[in-house]
Amino acid sequence: MRFGDKFLNGQHPPWQQSYIDYIRLKQLIYQLFDLEHATDENNVDIIESPPSDVSSSSSRHLPDIKTSNEFQQQLNNEVQKALLFLLGTLGEMASELSELSEEFITLSANVQLQLN
């Protein structure tokens, strides 16, 4: 199984909107390097360069700055989205842990009183 399939299949459905948009970033990479996207009979990704003439075949394709900036901005947005979700979730967990800790202290004190 390929990374993209594992990433998409392993997502926790209630959190799906908070994951990095792998498909969109992959599309931008194809645009960035002017690549064709195809899959073989087993649905495995194949990356193909577009046909080029003899004169340009020896030079590498360099992405244009507009597409590079768009990719960088999209990547930053996706990382920020995931990070904000992570920080929010950690905050919720810390709050729940604090409440449980207070409850434990109260219950522990009650048990001590009953034992004495």
Side-chain angles (χ1 to χ4, degrees):
M1 185 178 277
R2 312 262 313 171
F3 171 78
D5 294 329
K6 287 180 184 178
F7 181 72
L8 295 172
N9 291 333
Q11 292 180 354
H12 183 57
W15 297 351
Q16 201 164 20
Q17 294 302 314
S18 300
Y19 282 89
I20 288 175
D21 189 348
Y22 172 79
I23 293 172
R24 175 71 181 133
L25 292 175
K26 187 174 177 178
Q27 289 170 342
L28 285 173
I29 288 172
Y30 285 121
Q31 290 173 11
L32 185 64
F33 291 99
D34 198 23
L35 300 172
E36 299 287 328
H37 179 237
T39 55
D40 66 10
E41 65 277 357
N42 297 320
N43 205 26
V44 173
D45 288 335
I46 302 169
I47 298 174
E48 302 172 346
S49 294
S52 58
D53 61 16
V54 176
S55 63
S56 66
S57 63
S58 62
S59 64
R60 282 184 60 129
H61 169 76
L62 296 176
D64 65 37
I65 193 68
K66 181 182 177 210
T67 311
S68 272
N69 288 340
E70 181 184 353
F71 176 77
Q72 185 64 47
Q73 184 62 45
Q74 187 72 30
L75 179 61
N76 289 343
N77 291 344
E78 291 299 318
V79 169
Q80 184 178 32
K81 174 182 71 174
L83 184 58
L84 289 173
F85 173 75
L86 175 64
L87 292 173
T89 302
L90 288 174
E92 291 171 10
M93 291 171 65
S95 178
E96 288 178 25
L97 182 60
S98 177
E99 291 173 14
L100 288 172
S101 179
E102 290 174 16
E103 188 176 324
F104 175 77
I105 290 169
T106 303
L107 290 172
S108 181
N110 288 340
V111 168
Q112 282 296 330
L113 287 174
Q114 290 179 359
L115 290 175
N116 292 331

